[in-house]
Structure formats: structure tokens, C-alpha cells
Amino acid sequence: MKLNKRESRLAVITLIAVLIGVTWLMGEPRYEEWQANQEESELLARRQAAAQRLLDQTDALDERLATLREELPQHPRDADVTSQLLRNLQQFADQHGLLLLRREPEPEREVGDLYELAITCTWEGELSALVHFLYALQAQGAIVDVRQLTITPSQGDPSRLRGTFTVDYAYSRSTPAT
């Protein structure tokens, strides 16, 4: 069987078309897999760079943590911190003209070597008294945080407000000397 020029060209073109089709059918899933691997590789490289930046900041963060730990008040292991914090909170409220109607301390929580105490208060007063009171609390630094605050107008007197807030205190406990 002898093929003329035209038939041999058509055979070569058909063979090339079949090879391209088979290559495309077999290569497309691998190409998509390769693209997915490239994207994942880029994502991992970005994550690694971010993790390295955080690791490079370790010394500065350790210094800040040490500074914050030094600023934390330290109480003896057997001292009643709740009553002292309730007195301090009442003192701040009295200084700024805020009336604390009810103060409810939650149980003390131990978080590692730190302790937390939350006090939920119901209050009444004017807006300026509340602002000055909250500013005085926040000026104490990292040891005090106002977690939740609600404000509603008081019935009968629109200049007075009432609501609740929750104050979180952080402190450490010292071990008794033996």
C-alpha cells in the first residue's frame, strides 16, 4: 500500500491532531494540579514570611510582657482582693459623681500565673460623670478593662443615664515567704 503525497500529508496532520488531543486530555489535569500547587506554595511562602516577622518581634514582645508583668499589682496568696477592688471601684465612682446602685463580683479566675476578677455594676449618673469615671479606670493601664457597657436614659430626667458595665481586673498573687 502506497500513499500519495496528499494522503501522507493528511495522515501526518491527523497524527499531529491526535497527539495534541491526547496530550491535552492527559496534560490538562496535571496542569491544573501544577497551578494549584503553585498557588499553595505561594500561600505557604506568605505564611512563612508572616511567621518569620512574628518571630523577629519576639524580643520586643518579651520586653513588653515583662514591663506589663512589673506593672501588675501583686497581692498575697491569702488576701481578699475582691473587697479591695470593690472599694477602689466605689472610690472612683464617688470621685467622679457616678452612683453605683449594685456591684456584683464574679468568682476569681486563675489564668496561668495571673488572676482575673470581673465586677458587674449597675450605675446611674450624668454622661460627663460616666466619661470621667471610665477615663479614670482606663488610665490605670493594662490592669483594668471595661468589657461591657450599656447605657439607657433614666425615666423622668433626660439628663441622667443609667446602665451596667463589667470591669475586669488583672493581678498576680505572690507566694508566702517561708
Side-chain angles (χ1 to χ4, degrees):
M1 173 170 173
K2 189 169 183 184
L3 299 174
N4 64 19
K5 275 183 159 180
R6 183 172 180 237
E7 290 174 339
S8 62
R9 270 192 239 140
L10 283 174
V12 169
I13 291 172
T14 304
L15 180 64
I16 291 173
V18 167
L19 286 176
I20 289 174
V22 168
T23 303
W24 181 73
L25 285 174
M26 293 180 70
E28 183 183 25
R30 290 192 176 139
Y31 177 73
E32 289 174 359
E33 181 181 338
W34 176 76
Q35 275 188 324
N37 287 341
Q38 286 295 106
E39 291 173 3
E40 186 176 348
S41 176
E42 290 172 9
L43 175 66
L44 290 174
R46 285 195 304 269
R47 283 185 180 175
Q48 183 180 12
Q52 187 61 45
R53 281 193 304 273
L54 289 174
L55 286 173
D56 292 342
Q57 296 175 359
T58 301
D59 294 334
L61 291 174
D62 285 342
E63 289 176 16
R64 284 182 55 200
L65 179 62
T67 304
L68 285 174
R69 284 188 185 268
E70 289 173 6
E71 291 176 3
L72 279 178
Q74 195 170 45
H75 300 284
R77 181 90 37 205
D78 57 349
D80 182 20
V81 178
T82 305
S83 62
Q84 181 181 353
L85 293 177
L86 285 170
R87 279 193 306 272
N88 289 346
L89 190 63
Q90 185 64 50
Q91 183 181 15
F92 273 114
D94 292 343
Q95 285 175 357
H96 299 288
L98 195 69
L99 178 62
L100 295 181
L101 303 173
R102 191 174 67 216
R103 299 167 304 179
E104 297 176 8
E106 295 177 9
E108 179 180 72
R109 293 183 312 258
E110 184 175 356
V111 182
D113 58 345
L114 299 177
Y115 292 83
E116 290 181 352
L117 180 74
I119 301 174
T120 302
C121 299
T122 303
W123 60 273
E124 186 174 319
E126 295 183 0
L127 180 61
S128 63
L130 176 65
V131 169
H132 288 89
F133 171 76
L134 292 174
Y135 180 78
L137 279 180
Q138 291 296 72
Q140 293 181 29
I143 62 170
V144 178
D145 185 35
V146 177
R147 179 175 13 130
Q148 180 181 353
L149 173 67
T150 62
I151 301 173
T152 57
S154 183
Q155 291 180 348
D157 189 2
S159 66
R160 293 195 56 84
L161 302 171
R162 66 179 339 159
T164 61
F165 60 82
T166 302
V167 180
D168 285 329
Y169 288 92
Y171 52 92
S172 63
R173 296 260 190 193
S174 61
T175 56
T178 56

